[in-house]
Amino acid sequence: MTRNRLYLILSLALTGGYAWLIWAFYSHKNSPAGFSPCIIKNVTGIACPSCGATRSLLHLLNGHIKEAVLTNPIGLIIAIIMVILPVWLVYDCVTGKETFYKNYRTFEKTIVKKWIAIPLIVLVIINWIWNIQKGI
C-alpha cells in the first residue's frame, strides 16, 4: 500500500470515528434500550471483541477511567490512536516526511511473527470471552 493511500484511508477512518464518537456522546442517552450498533451482536446475539468500545470511549470523555477499562480495554487503545494518529499524520504531511509510514511498514512486518501474533490473538480472545461473560 502506498503512503498516500494509507494516509487517506486512516484519515477517513479517523473522521468517521470522530463523527461516530460525537454522535454517540450527544445521543447515547436517547438510544433505545438494548440498541447495539454492532452487526455481529445484532446477527448472532453474541458480543464481538470490540463491543463496548464506544461506551469505553464515552467513559473516558467523562473522566471515568476505571469504568472505561472495565467496559472494554480496547477503548483505551482506540483513544490513544485517536489522539496520536492525527497529529502524526499532519506532522508527516506538513514536513513531507514518512515517519508514520515507515513505522507502519515495520509494524506490519513485526506483527506477523508468531511470538507476537499469538499473544495478541490470545488477548483479543480473552477480551471477547470477558465481553460475553459481562453480557455486553
Side-chain angles (χ1 to χ4, degrees):
M1 179 176 313
T2 66
R3 172 194 178 266
N4 290 342
R5 178 176 233 161
L6 175 65
Y7 285 24
L8 176 64
I9 290 169
L10 291 174
S11 296
L12 292 172
L14 283 167
T15 301
Y18 279 115
W20 173 257
L21 195 55
I22 290 166
W23 177 83
F25 185 77
Y26 289 108
S27 68
H28 76 279
K29 294 175 185 167
N30 300 327
S31 296
F35 168 75
S36 175
C38 179
I39 295 170
I40 293 172
K41 185 173 181 181
N42 288 331
V43 171
T44 66
I46 299 171
C48 76
S50 66
C51 274
T54 300
R55 282 173 277 172
S56 177
L57 287 167
L58 292 174
H59 284 305
L60 281 174
L61 286 173
N62 289 310
H64 306 134
I65 297 170
K66 181 181 176 185
E67 290 85 353
V69 173
L70 292 175
T71 302
N72 195 335
I74 289 176
L76 294 175
I77 296 168
I78 294 170
I80 292 167
I81 290 169
M82 289 180 79
V83 169
I84 294 173
L85 190 56
V87 175
W88 202 348
L89 293 177
V90 168
Y91 169 79
D92 274 4
C93 290
V94 168
T95 62
K97 295 184 178 182
E98 295 185 344
T99 60
F100 178 79
Y101 185 68
K102 289 176 184 174
N103 280 284
Y104 170 79
R105 298 291 298 200
T106 302
F107 175 76
E108 202 175 37
K109 291 175 187 171
T110 305
I111 200 165
V112 295
K113 295 178 181 172
K114 286 183 183 179
W115 65 275
I116 293 176
I118 291 172
L120 290 176
I121 291 168
V122 168
L123 284 173
V124 170
I125 291 171
I126 289 169
N127 190 61
W128 194 359
I129 292 168
W130 190 38
N131 278 349
I132 294 169
Q133 172 121 18
K134 289 184 298 187
I136 285 185

